[in-house]
Amino acid sequence: MPSQPPKIAFAGLGAMGYGMAAHLVQSGYAVTGFDVYQPALDRFLKEGKAASAAKTPKEAVQDADVFICMVATSVQATPLLFHAETGAVQGLKENAIIIMCSTVAPAYIDELQSRLKEVGRSDLRLIDSPVSGGAGRAADGTLSIFASGAKEDVEHARAVLQCMSGKLYEIPGGLGGGSNAKMIHQVFAGIHIAMANEAMGLAAAAGLDTREVFEKLKGSEASSWMFENRVPPMLDAGLGRYSAITIIAKDVGIITQTARTHHFPLPLLATAEQLYLAALTHGWGPEDDCVLVRLYLPPSQPHLVATQAGHPSSNNNNNPSAIYHNVTWETIRDIMTAVHMAAITEAMAFCQFLDVDVELMYDIVVNAAGNSKVFAGCFRGMQGKGWRVEGLEQGGEVVGRLAKAIEDVYPLRYPLYLGSAALQEYCRQRGGGGRIV
């Protein structure tokens, strides 16, 4: 890197992008921000003298050595870069670096590279660099970043990437490698978020003390990073937002579309996607993804998880059917454990199919939001067995407990979308209509 810190242009001052840009300013970089939402630009200008704002992407990059794109979708990124009058590509200096931090499909990264050549800007150096970690870690500069591209380009941008990251992963294989790694991570994230909602909805529907159930599950082998992160706002609505449904729905959509292109099955993630799509049709897109739990609850009791927080089940009258079942917190634990194990099967098989380094992926997941206690505990046992649950000594027991849990829940008429999908996947793995015992 040059002796003077590079000048940075930053597009996309949303929940995560704002934190990333502000952290760069606080770390001594001169940053020119761009966003279509004027209040975000006004707020950014208050970050200090090193923060400036531009009216167009082209204006933002006039003096920039590095352009960071953190808009929500590829649909937004294309005109941001290539608009004939206002696009950033028109204004970037020779040999400038474009860091694509937005979560996009690997195929889109290839498209960007081709488009740069078509418009005569093959001098621009593109780095595929999606991020993970949420708004809090963005503001702290502790994101997980998955960078791929030409080695010399990644090296040239290393200081900027490291400033934004707690973990900087250099993904081999050239452009698109970072997006592939992010996709695999988001398979876990997409399933785990939906599972957290399914679990807490079940606790509420069963008349259990939801806060007590959360604490017990958090301390059990069934817990995940997403479960511990997403459930508190279900219990206490005043805790604020973590991530909108639109974001996880978009990420999951990228993965399932890519999988369909390759004719690769992702049954649990496809099930989770239908839940996210259902939430969008209800108009919940801008809301936190923990409101997915409403899909599991009676329309007249959308806040039942919070209502039952701290209420002993024996004294709870919210759900008259609660006395007609055998559902306990252990029932929910068994469902979560089995679903998280099935997520390993699905995600890591896709990982190998995409030729992403398995050991690197382990390090990424275990240190990021896709982690679970099941992942950390079962990864090695499943690795040499084609990622099949039967490769684990306790696999049969886990599947058997899942089957019993589904039977115990049935009298409640409660929908177990993820739990049922996991059981069907285990049956499929056994082949030939193999029985679950």
Side-chain angles (χ1 to χ4, degrees):
M1 298 293 288
S3 56
Q4 293 295 320
K7 293 181 180 178
I8 298 172
F10 197 108
L13 301 176
M16 288 183 66
Y18 186 92
M20 294 163 68
H23 181 75
L24 287 166
V25 170
Q26 294 158 11
S27 300
Y29 289 95
V31 181
T32 300
F34 170 76
D35 198 280
V36 295
Y37 186 56
Q38 186 61 42
L41 289 174
D42 295 340
R43 178 187 173 202
F44 183 63
L45 288 172
K46 298 177 183 179
E47 291 295 336
K49 293 182 179 180
S52 59
K55 295 181 179 179
T56 68
K58 183 177 180 180
E59 179 185 330
V61 303
Q62 287 301 312
D63 298 317
D65 303 294
V66 176
F67 175 50
I68 299 174
C69 180
M70 189 56 189
V71 295
T73 68
S74 59
V75 173
Q76 295 173 353
T78 297
L80 179 86
L81 290 164
F82 296 107
H83 189 280
E85 296 179 1
T86 62
V89 168
Q90 302 296 323
L92 280 165
K93 64 175 64 173
E94 188 175 0
N95 296 321
I97 292 176
I98 299 174
I99 301 179
M100 179 59 65
C101 289
S102 305
T103 298
V104 297
Y108 182 72
I109 297 296
D110 294 336
E111 180 184 324
L112 285 185
Q113 185 78 330
S114 298
R115 188 84 178 268
L116 289 172
K117 293 179 181 178
E118 289 174 8
V119 299
R121 292 309 310 265
S122 57
D123 61 291
L124 296 176
R125 295 177 284 180
L126 179 62
I127 299 175
D128 173 28
S129 188
V131 303
S132 178
R137 288 173 60 186
D140 294 339
T142 57
L143 291 168
S144 294
I145 296 183
F146 319 121
S148 64
K151 288 184 179 181
E152 59 270 23
D153 296 343
V154 174
E155 185 61 35
H156 199 73
R158 181 177 299 278
V160 174
L161 292 168
Q162 286 181 329
C163 180
M164 298 186 292
S165 66
K167 280 273 190 178
L168 174 58
Y169 296 97
E170 296 179 47
I171 312 299
L175 286 171
S179 290
N180 276 332
K182 176 68 183 289
M183 278 201 309
I184 301 306
H185 177 271
Q186 293 304 93
V187 173
F188 289 105
I191 294 172
H192 291 176
I193 290 171
M195 187 64 249
N197 283 272
E198 185 162 301
M200 294 309 298
L202 176 55
L208 304 178
D209 178 341
T210 51
R211 192 177 303 279
E212 180 182 12
V213 169
F214 171 61
E215 292 299 329
K216 288 182 176 180
L217 289 172
K218 187 169 67 170
S220 75
E221 68 269 30
S223 192
S224 69
W225 191 97
M226 285 298 186
F227 180 77
E228 296 183 24
N229 183 262
R230 294 308 204 263
V231 173
M234 298 184 205
L235 300 171
D236 301 290
L239 290 180
R241 291 177 52 184
Y242 286 93
S243 184
I245 287 175
T246 51
I247 299 300
I248 190 62
K250 181 261 297 183
D251 287 2
V252 169
I254 288 171
I255 303 166
T256 56
Q257 183 179 33
T258 302
R260 285 193 297 272
T261 299
H262 293 294
H263 306 289
F264 194 95
L266 296 175
L268 262 73
L269 190 68
T271 300
E273 182 182 28
Q274 299 312 303
L275 292 168
Y276 298 129
L277 293 174
L280 293 178
T281 64
H282 280 77
W284 304 342
E287 298 189 60
D288 192 273
D289 53 36
C290 71
V291 305
L292 198 71
V293 73
R294 295 176 192 165
L295 292 174
Y296 292 90
L297 299 173
S300 61
Q301 297 176 301
H303 305 294
L304 192 58
V305 175
T307 301
Q308 293 187 190
H311 292 258
S313 58
S314 60
N315 296 329
N316 192 287
N317 295 316
N318 284 317
N319 186 353
S321 68
I323 60 173
Y324 299 117
H325 65 80
N326 296 313
V327 176
T328 66
W329 81 267
E330 290 96 336
T331 309
I332 305 171
R333 175 201 63 196
D334 292 344
I335 296 168
M336 289 177 65
T337 299
V339 168
H340 292 166
M341 197 173 288
I344 301 174
T345 293
E346 193 161 297
M348 295 312 300
F350 196 37
C351 177
Q352 285 195 323
F353 176 82
L354 294 174
D355 201 26
V356 177
D357 185 274
V358 168
E359 292 300 325
L360 180 60
M361 203 65 234
Y362 173 82
D363 189 43
I364 288 172
V365 174
V366 83
N367 287 292
N371 193 26
S372 68
K373 291 183 180 178
V374 170
F375 180 83
C378 297
F379 179 91
R380 295 301 176 194
M382 297 174 71
Q383 185 174 5
K385 303 293 184 180
W387 306 110
R388 296 168 68 90
V389 171
E390 290 182 348
L392 294 172
E393 182 178 342
Q394 71 272 35
E397 179 184 351
V398 169
V399 177
R401 293 204 315 244
L402 171 62
K404 181 180 184 304
I406 290 175
E407 288 298 316
D408 288 342
V409 172
Y410 187 77
L412 277 178
R413 298 298 190 266
Y414 180 86
L416 291 173
Y417 299 108
L418 275 298
S420 296
L423 186 61
Q424 294 305 309
E425 173 58 16
Y426 291 136
C427 289
R428 186 197 65 79
Q429 285 186 25
R430 293 192 170 189
R435 295 175 61 247
I436 296 296
V437 294

